Structure formats: structure tokens, C-alpha cells
Amino acid sequence: MATTASVHPVDEVPPVRQLAAFGLQHVLAMYAGAVAVPLIVGGAMKLSPADLAYLITADLLVCGIATLIQCIGFWRFGVRLPIMQGCTFAAVSPMVLIGTTGGGLPAIYGSVIVAGLAIMLLAPVFGRLLRFFPPLVTGTVILIIGISLLPVAGNWVAGGAGAKDFGEPKNIALAAFVLAVVLGVQRFAPAFLSRIAVLIGIAVGLAAAVPFGFTDFGGVGDADWVGISTPFHFGAPAFEASAIISMLVVALVTMTETTGDLIAVGEMTDRKVEPRSLSDGLRADGLSTVLGGVFNTFPYTAYAQNVGLVGMTRVRSRWVVAVAGGILVLLGLLPKLGAVVAAVPAPVLGGAGLVMFGTVAASGLKTLAQVDFKGNNNLTVVAVSVAMGVLPVGVPTIYEKFPDWFQTVMNSGISAGCLTAIVLNLLFNHLPARADSGVPEPDGLPVGGGEQGVEKSREEIV
């Protein structure tokens, strides 16, 4: 896209045909994750197929509305960056517990509404904490986000978690074919086509999957043409103390994750996230979560997989993602259209996901490359934070003997790694230096006190 001196790439409006293609690409990148949360929660509660379908269409509708609020914004709501919104996986376990122990969906929605209000109230507090996210912390968090997403892509490559043919060579072969198409388009196609390499890869992969029996369009015929979500479809919300406490813990986790995602997109688009814009982004999350509780769906947060797509395609316009939000609204109002998108096989998404999620991790490395690692403890901060972030990803059951609130925080690799990075940065770079901190090492640099390399503003680094 051509840019002008007066319009930042984030605010630029591409031509209509590009808007549609780029927007559809974002929808395909996040669709599987978006419908997974209602499927998991509804399945655990043994809801009927009709109720499950209702949850999915409600989720897609509010996903679209939440994305529009975040990208376009109004008053003090919305970060106005290319951010896709979707249901957070951090809330899945607490919601399943609430829904299956007597509270049902009304108790879930009551706790979701309270959590959304809490996020809106706490947004300014998180905005003031932005100074504790220097490049050392942000680079580490972005790296952890990318690494945490790779197992998701791996499950897709193998056929999707729980699939009967999980790990079959044909699934991996299809994913490898899609990956090859994406890379080939990026390398050899003209500039515009290279920016929709993921969309082309998914389209070609879907075309190749049909004759080999990977696709099942049976759900398209069963889906309704029009479906409208009405407030409190499953009954008036119930406000139970234990459910609310669990969801407030989830709210803190999602705020931490969203903070990392917003900072990552700010780095990728060259529009630094300020305390005020961070507060506005988190406030939009809170409003979307309240809407989720009203319209029969769940808490919302920024979707990290789309962060990777922004970095990979280098398309920075927020209006592209706003169009994606509009497409999600249509999918929520037209269930038959949503069923068509749902028919894309998991291996096709996996081949594209490997590139997108790897791009997020590489962006974290790019940010860390500009941090000073000489004569200080910054390497320790990165090492331990990445280890803590990867631990629940590699060993999902490691904290299952701990209390529920602890599991909610630490089972998310992103929140665990982010909290570790913040604490270690404070420990090594903000507390008073040791008495021997002025003694130079052989390379002439003092030991400890890594403030100089850590606290550079992002403008100075760029």
C-alpha cells in the first residue's frame, strides 16, 4: 500500500478489493479459535446441537462488534490499532466449572458481566503500569506469545485436537502443502498477492482438500439462513459470589495478555502504545465482555494469532481489521455462511498458522535484539521468563494440584511469562544496585543495573 506523509499506515484506507481480501484473511486466521470456546463450554455442559449453534452465532456476532469497537473506537473506548477480538481461552476452565456445578449459563453470564465492568474500572490502572513494559519486557512477552501459539498450529497440522485421524500423514502432508504455497506466494508473487499469501494458501489448500475427502459441508445444509442473538436468551444472569471471584481472576489474566498483544501490534505498526491508548484498548475489552454476558457469549480479548498476521503481511491498516469485524458480524447473522467457513479443514489452517505464529516469536526476537545484554542481568530476565511461559505449554498438567485461581493465572503461558518478566525486571533493574555494581568487568561495563539498556524509550530504539 502506498503511504503519504500525512497519513500513518495504521489510519490508511486501502482500495475496496484489498480491504475485502485482507479482512477475509484475518477472519480465516482466527475463526477456528473463535468458535472453539463456545464449542468446549457448550459441549462440557451437554447442550443440545441447537443451543451450541446459537452460542457460536452469538459469539461470532459479538466478536465482530468487539473488533469494530477496538479498531474504530469511540470516545475513550478502543486502541485504534489493527486488533482482532475473540473469546479468551483463559476463561474456559472456570466457565466449565461454573456451568457444570449447578450455576449453569446464567451464573456464567452474571460473572462475565461483572468481570467486564471490573476491566473497564481497572483500565486506567493498567495504563499507568506501561512504564514497567520496557523493550526488555515487551520483547520477551511477544516472544512468549509466539511460542505459546505454536502448539495450537501443531494441533491443527495434525488434524485438530480430538480428531479421529489426528497425526495421520495425509493431514501433515496437506499442512506442508499449504505452508509451501504460502511461502511460494510470499517469495515470488507480486507485492499485493504476497500480502494475502495466507488467504491464497488457505484457498488453494481448501481446493486440494475437497477431492481427498478432508472437507465436510454437511453442516452447511443444516444451518439456518438467518439467526439473530437476543439478550439473555438463556435466562436472566445470576450473580454468584464464587463464580464472580473466579471470573475476576480471569479478568486480570486477560488484561495482562491484552497488554502484551497491544504493545506487540504497536511495535509492528510503528505506532507506540501510550498509557492512554492502552487504557482505551482495555476499556474496549471490558465493554465487549459486558456485551458478551448480555448476548449469551463469553469474555473477550485481543487475538494473538492475528498479531502474527499483521507482522507477516506488513499490512498495518486498522480499517482492514475493521472490515474483518464486519465480516464476523455477517457470519453471526448468517449461520449458513458461517458453516461454510467452518468447513475449512484444520490442517489447512495449521499450514498457515505455522508461518503466522512463528512471525510473532520472530518479532519478539527483533525487539530483544535492541536491548543491551552486556554487563547486566537482562539475559537472566529473558531466560527465566521464557522458561516460565513455556512450562504450562509443554506440560499442561503441571499445576493441576494447585488452587483454581493459581491455575487460572499460571496455566496461561502468556500471563505466566509476562508476570515473570515484569517481576524480574523490577528485581534486577529497578531495585538499588549491589555495593560492587561499580566494579567494571573485563569489557569495561559495570555489573548489574541494566537500566541504560532497558529503559530506552521506543522512539530512541527506533
Side-chain angles (χ1 to χ4, degrees), residues 153 157 171-187 197-198 200-202 204-205 312 347-359:
V157 166
N171 292 335
I172 298 170
L174 178 58
F177 171 69
V178 173
L179 175 61
V181 171
V182 171
L183 295 177
V185 171
Q186 264 205 303
R187 175 62 181 84
V198 169
I200 293 174
I202 291 175
V204 173
M312 176 188 164
V348 172
L349 297 174
L354 288 174
V355 185
M356 293 187 300
F357 303 161
T359 300

Side-chain angles (χ1 to χ4, degrees), residues 285-304:
D285 263 15
L287 176 60
S288 301
T289 298
V290 171
L291 290 176
V294 172
F295 286 95
N296 320 293
T297 180
F298 308 114
Y300 285 84
T301 187
Y303 257 31

Side-chain angles (χ1 to χ4, degrees), residues 156-438:
W156 289 348
V157 166
K164 293 180 180 178
D165 60 349
F166 187 86
E168 288 285 343
K170 64 176 185 177
N171 292 335
I172 298 170
L174 178 58
F177 171 69
V178 173
L179 175 61
V181 171
V182 171
L183 295 177
V185 171
Q186 264 205 303
R187 175 62 181 84
F188 299 108
F192 167 67
L193 291 179
S194 69
R195 287 174 173 167
I196 56 170
V198 169
L199 178 60
I200 293 174
I202 291 175
V204 173
L206 180 59
V210 172
F212 290 100
F214 281 92
T215 53
D216 179 11
F217 291 100
V220 178
D222 298 334
D224 296 328
W225 279 104
V226 179
I228 300 176
S229 300
T230 55
F232 307 123
H233 173 80
F234 294 99
F239 300 95
E240 298 181 1
S242 59
I244 290 172
I245 293 171
S246 297
M247 207 55 64
L248 288 176
V249 175
V250 171
L252 294 175
V253 173
T254 56
M255 291 180 79
T256 304
E257 293 181 347
T258 297
T259 298
D261 290 333
L262 297 186
I263 292 173
V265 173
E267 298 280 354
M268 292 175 178
T269 58
D270 296 324
R271 174 170 281 181
K272 187 179 74 168
V273 173
E274 303 287 350
R276 173 166 175 156
S277 57
L278 175 59
S279 299
D280 293 348
L282 293 171
R283 199 176 285 111
D285 263 15
L287 176 60
S288 301
T289 298
V290 171
L291 290 176
V294 172
F295 286 95
N296 320 293
T297 180
F298 308 114
Y300 285 84
T301 187
Y303 257 31
Q305 46 263 61
N306 294 88
V307 174
L309 191 55
V310 171
M312 176 188 164
T313 62
R314 301 183 296 280
V315 176
R316 296 178 280 178
S317 172
R318 61 190 172 105
W319 297 104
V320 164
V321 180
V323 167
I327 294 173
L328 286 172
V329 170
L330 281 178
L331 293 176
L333 296 174
L334 303 173
K336 195 171 287 289
L337 187 58
V340 173
V341 178
V344 177
V348 172
L349 297 174
L354 288 174
V355 185
M356 293 187 300
F357 303 161
T359 300
V360 179
S363 298
L365 292 175
K366 181 181 176 183
T367 302
L368 288 173
Q370 301 170 62
V371 174
D372 180 16
F373 287 101
K374 294 183 179 179
N376 53 45
N377 295 292
N378 290 342
L379 196 61
T380 301
V381 174
V382 175
V384 176
S385 301
V386 170
M388 292 299 294
V390 172
L391 201 57
V393 176
V395 190
T397 58
I398 188 169
Y399 299 122
E400 66 178 7
K401 303 296 184 184
F402 284 75
D404 290 340
W405 66 266
F406 187 90
Q407 291 186 52
T408 301
V409 175
M410 299 303 291
N411 274 341
S412 165
I414 297 172
S415 64
C418 183
L419 291 173
T420 304
I422 294 171
V423 170
L424 292 183
N425 178 53
L426 291 173
L427 175 66
F428 286 112
N429 296 317
H430 287 266
L431 292 181
R434 293 182 309 226
D436 61 348
S437 62

